[in-house]
Amino acid sequence: MDERDEEFTAFVAARSGPLLRYAYLLTGDHAAAEDLLQSTLVKVYLSWHKIADHRSVDAYTRTAMTRTNISVWRKVGRREYATETTPDQAVDDRHDIDERDGMWALLQTLGSRQRTALVLRFYEDLPEAEIADVMGCSLGTVKSQISRGLANLRKVVPARDEVWERGLGHAG
């Protein structure tokens, strides 16, 4: 095994779990997430010699994954898949698990582009300009997808005051 293969194998071993969760957030389907991750890792491997700074390979891989997923939209259009579970997550607090499951269910109500924009903004914490670069679209498109996605989520999430009135809010 040459040095390139060793570096790539170490990267995959260290980052495949988080990358699979990211792929799942983008696709909403376990099988599609696995396929997306696999095809992205093939692309990254083939470009490994072009990546000057291997400290940025994680960001490079997420960008490649997002763009690969977007190319699927363009080829087959929008498809939504229902799912019962999310990928395994190392979480100790049951409240966190319930909150994450609830948020995932809410994200599933959105279209692929809105979900991708929100995942990149709030899960990956990317600025809008970088999201536009990753998604291969204009800054205005990113802003509108985030705005529409949040508006759609607000339609299905009870207002904070309603939550507090029902006693679901946590004192803090």
Side-chain angles (χ1 to χ4, degrees), residues 24-33 35 69 72-73 76-85 104-105 107-112 115:
Y24 183 74
L25 289 171
L26 292 176
T27 63
D29 179 70
H30 289 285
D35 290 345
N69 189 50
V72 170
W73 302 340
V76 294
R78 293 176 57 193
R79 289 188 177 169
E80 296 292 327
Y81 299 95
T83 182
E84 293 292 324
T85 61
W104 176 243
L107 284 171
Q108 285 295 94
T109 66
L110 301 175
S112 298
R115 182 174 53 243

Side-chain angles (χ1 to χ4, degrees), residues 16-78:
S16 62
L19 289 171
L20 180 59
R21 282 191 294 275
Y22 179 67
Y24 183 74
L25 289 171
L26 292 176
T27 63
D29 179 70
H30 289 285
E34 290 171 353
D35 290 345
L36 177 60
L37 177 59
Q38 187 67 30
S39 62
T40 301
L41 288 175
V42 168
K43 291 177 183 180
V44 170
Y45 178 77
L46 294 173
S47 299
W48 194 259
H49 64 283
K50 297 178 190 174
I51 303 171
D53 182 4
H54 284 174
R55 292 175 298 187
S56 65
V57 73
D58 197 58
Y60 179 92
T61 303
R62 288 175 190 269
T63 298
M65 187 180 304
T66 302
R67 290 184 177 170
T68 300
N69 189 50
I70 288 170
S71 72
V72 170
W73 302 340
R74 292 181 177 143
K75 288 180 185 171
V76 294
R78 293 176 57 193

Side-chain angles (χ1 to χ4, degrees), residues 92-107:
D92 295 329
D93 185 8
R94 183 68 211 164
H95 174 73
D96 287 345
I97 293 171
D98 292 341
E99 191 173 290
R100 288 180 184 173
D101 287 348
M103 183 53 67
W104 176 243
L106 291 172
L107 284 171

Side-chain angles (χ1 to χ4, degrees), residues 3 13 37 42 49 87 133 143 155:
E3 183 179 337
L37 177 59
V42 168
H49 64 283
D133 184 49
K143 289 180 178 183
K155 291 177 187 174

